[in-house]
Amino acid sequence: MADSWEHLSRVSDFRQITRDEFDRLLRWMLEDESLILTSGRLVLGPKAERRFGRKNFMELYAVFSSPQSYTVTDNWGPVAGVLEPGLCR
């Protein structure tokens, strides 16, 4: 579960929240049964499965998914641009 912050903090959808905010959101989602922790992994819980499961699951997934891209910066200036994964070899 600790790896979830390491992974999601790099996703553009989560970059603007603090670790504390992330931990509170995660605790709430676990208490709410929107997520469950099983074998050290966070998975869709029964409440979220009832609401978003089966044909409606894509609605939930769209909230958390982002196209992967690489931001190009240097040590001193603003963002120079963004690269799509297909261009990086």
Side-chain angles (χ1 to χ4, degrees):
M1 189 166 87
D3 294 338
S4 59
W5 170 252
E6 290 300 318
H7 177 71
L8 290 172
S9 65
R10 290 184 247 143
V11 175
S12 61
D13 298 333
F14 288 92
R15 282 191 192 136
Q16 300 301 315
I17 68 169
T18 65
R19 175 65 189 258
D20 183 57
E21 291 169 325
F22 178 82
D23 289 343
R24 284 187 294 157
L25 174 63
L26 195 56
R27 273 193 308 273
W28 178 81
M29 291 182 82
L30 288 165
E31 290 171 7
D32 185 61
E33 296 187 333
S34 294
L35 292 175
I36 58 172
L37 182 62
T38 181
S39 301
R41 298 179 70 186
L42 291 167
V43 296
L44 194 64
K47 185 173 183 179
E49 188 172 334
R50 282 191 302 275
R51 181 170 180 198
F52 297 105
R54 296 177 182 44
K55 66 180 180 179
N56 297 321
F57 183 75
M58 291 306 293
E59 182 181 339
L60 172 67
Y61 184 71
V63 171
F64 290 104
S65 66
S66 298
Q68 185 177 14
S69 61
Y70 299 96
T71 303
V72 179
T73 62
D74 61 26
N75 291 334
W76 306 277
V79 172
V82 177
L83 296 174
E84 298 299 323
L87 299 173
C88 303
R89 295 194 192 265

